[in-house]
Amino acid sequence: MTTTTHRIVVLGAGYTGLLAAVRMARRTRKTNVHITLVNPSARFTERLRMHQIAAGQELAHHDIPTILDGTGIRFVQGFATAIDPDARRVYVDGFGDITYDDMIYALGSSTDTSVVPGVADHAWTLNDPRRAHDFARRVAACRTVTVCGGGLTGIEAATEIAESHPDVRVTLVSSGELGAMMGTKARAYLNTVLDRLGIVREIGQRVTEVTADSVVLADGRRIATDLTLWTSGVRVSPLAAESGIETDERGLIVVGPTLKSLSHPTIRAIGDAAAIRQPWGRIHGTCQSGLPSATYAADAIAAELRGKTVRPFRFGYFHQPVSLGRRAAVIQFTRADDSPGRFYLTGWAARTYKEMVSSTPVPAIKVTKRMPVDVQLSKGGAATRDLVRHG
């Protein structure tokens, strides 16, 4: 039990940062802990639904200070511009210095527009809901849209746009096979829906340039387009690397078994900001893995404040849920290492399942103010059990 005020700073109020802050407030409510949550915007962004905004749909407004009401958490609106991890101090633009005893680093990721020429100047992304709204207004007045990137975000965006705007010709460009993470039958269903929606596919094609009115492919062909939506590639904030915290080649904070930074143990990194490894390899950033890392970090700090031993973080994948517009979806159930399993869902059942997945995080965060909520579907079973024995 702490006798002096223990200061905790959470950087980032996306799904992981907001959940970590609220859960930590609940777990430490009987201790002398002061929690500060830092985020550039007071509005909570539902990243899982950004493709819906791009297609012209309106989502519910979630205000971060309102969500935090009653938790005792101080909300600071501003950009974290520097961290001094040795002095345990973070600098917030327009606010000043905030000192901390423990930090949870949850700044997340965004689409990388720096690799291919012309993307930063001419393509749209789903990084910002305001830009996504602007994109939606333009889609309504155009004839052709090209979506670059065949990952889950690209597939969901292309199908959402095609369904909402049947007169718009949607082209999906991917360097790899669509739905490569799925089994054969789930992948076949995915392509059936793409056919039904009239989505043109350019598979095995790499984009070499984006111009104001075209997308240039590696084979020299030029796809004429009114709008280009870029969903390929991920980058993280350079803040950690610039602040001298150990990161990997992509800028993710290198963490140990309890998600503590290897170079600065007073910092725990979660979600897309952390290079987390399990026995089969590195976890890739998704809400499915991010939320468990958030609850784990909050519980770990609370346990350490009580002098308890913290066991290693364990995680296993459970599913790959993909919306295909509002009327279809496909759910591929997976093994712990994210490889496809035998079972999958399509049709009404998949659509209902996917909507449940997308709509769960915000209510779960709100409920966490009153009681801890279990957001983890799998700890990996036998695949991660040795982490406990040898942790």
Side-chain angles (χ1 to χ4, degrees):
M1 190 75 69
T2 56
T3 55
T4 59
T5 300
H6 193 87
R7 301 156 300 180
I8 302 172
V9 169
V10 181
L11 295 187
Y15 290 109
T16 58
L18 186 56
L19 176 59
V22 171
R23 188 177 180 101
M24 196 155 40
R26 179 67 187 174
R27 290 295 198 194
T28 61
R29 66 192 185 281
K30 294 182 180 180
T31 61
N32 191 11
V33 170
H34 185 269
I35 301 170
T36 301
L37 177 62
V38 180
N39 197 65
S41 172
R43 178 172 181 171
F44 178 74
T45 299
E46 291 190 85
R47 292 293 297 270
L48 289 176
R49 295 186 181 275
M50 291 290 281
H51 56 285
Q52 294 178 238
I53 298 177
Q57 299 165 36
E58 290 294 330
L59 303 183
H61 178 89
H62 299 291
D63 183 66
I64 293 173
T66 300
I67 294 174
L68 297 179
D69 187 45
T71 65
I73 297 170
R74 176 178 64 162
F75 177 65
V76 172
Q77 185 173 346
F79 286 92
T81 57
I83 301 171
D84 184 337
D86 297 319
R88 300 183 187 179
R89 182 179 294 116
V90 58
Y91 304 88
V92 180
D93 186 40
F95 180 84
D97 300 351
I98 303 174
T99 54
Y100 64 87
D101 298 297
D102 278 299
M103 172 187 286
I104 293 183
Y105 187 100
L107 290 184
S109 63
S110 60
T111 305
D112 190 353
T113 61
S114 65
V115 177
V116 175
V119 172
D121 295 324
H122 303 297
W124 296 75
T125 69
L126 300 180
N127 290 336
D128 187 321
R130 293 166 298 184
R131 292 281 290 166
H133 277 109
D134 290 342
F135 177 87
R137 285 189 283 269
R138 291 176 181 254
V139 168
C142 76
R143 300 294 298 275
T144 57
V145 172
T146 301
V147 179
C148 299
L152 300 187
T153 302
I155 292 170
E156 292 189 328
T159 52
E160 205 77 54
I161 293 166
E163 182 183 88
S164 299
H165 302 279
D167 294 332
V168 174
R169 178 184 174 89
V170 178
T171 300
L172 179 56
V173 182
S174 177
S175 59
E177 182 179 14
L178 297 177
M181 81 296 288
M182 300 178 185
T184 303
K185 294 181 179 179
R187 193 162 56 247
Y189 177 80
L190 164 66
N191 281 289
T192 297
V193 176
L194 296 177
D195 287 339
R196 174 173 60 79
L197 293 173
I199 296 174
V200 179
R201 277 96 84 192
E202 291 286 352
I203 308 301
Q205 292 290 341
R206 184 172 56 87
V207 177
T208 58
E209 184 183 4
V210 174
T211 71
D213 57 4
S214 70
V215 169
V216 183
L217 304 181
D219 63 8
R221 287 183 297 134
R222 188 179 295 265
I223 301 173
T225 185
D226 296 325
L227 290 175
T228 299
L229 181 63
W230 191 263
T231 67
S232 179
V234 174
R235 66 180 174 189
V236 298
S237 168
L239 179 62
E242 292 172 351
S243 300
I245 301 166
E246 183 182 350
T247 60
D248 67 7
E249 68 281 358
R250 293 161 302 128
L252 281 68
I253 294 178
V254 180
V255 298
T258 61
L259 306 190
K260 287 184 176 182
S261 161
L262 293 186
S263 62
H264 296 87
T266 58
I267 298 173
R268 276 186 163 92
I270 60 176
D272 294 358
I276 303 172
R277 298 195 68 83
Q278 294 289 278
W280 63 82
R282 187 184 62 82
I283 292 175
H284 58 85
T286 64
C287 199
Q288 182 181 178
S289 59
L291 293 179
S293 72
T295 59
Y296 172 89
D299 292 351
I301 291 176
E304 288 175 346
L305 288 174
R306 292 178 171 84
K308 295 183 178 180
T309 300
V310 176
R311 292 185 174 185
F313 176 66
R314 294 175 61 204
F315 172 78
Y317 288 98
F318 181 78
H319 58 196
Q320 285 284 4
V322 187
S323 64
L324 304 172
R326 293 297 86 200
R327 294 191 290 272
V330 57
I331 314 297
Q332 175 66 65
F333 294 99
T334 69
R335 301 181 182 91
D337 64 358
D338 208 27
S339 60
R342 292 176 54 195
F343 302 105
Y344 69 99
L345 288 179
T346 62
W348 176 87
R351 185 185 66 203
T352 303
Y353 187 106
K354 169 61 176 175
E355 179 57 29
M356 179 188 68
V357 169
S358 298
S359 61
T360 295
V362 173
I365 292 169
K366 293 179 178 179
V367 171
T368 298
K369 294 197 295 184
R370 301 189 300 274
M371 66 181 72
V373 176
D374 189 0
V375 297
Q376 186 158 1
L377 296 173
S378 170
K379 290 189 176 182
T384 63
R385 204 161 286 142
D386 280 349
L387 291 175
V388 176
R389 285 197 287 264
H390 302 299

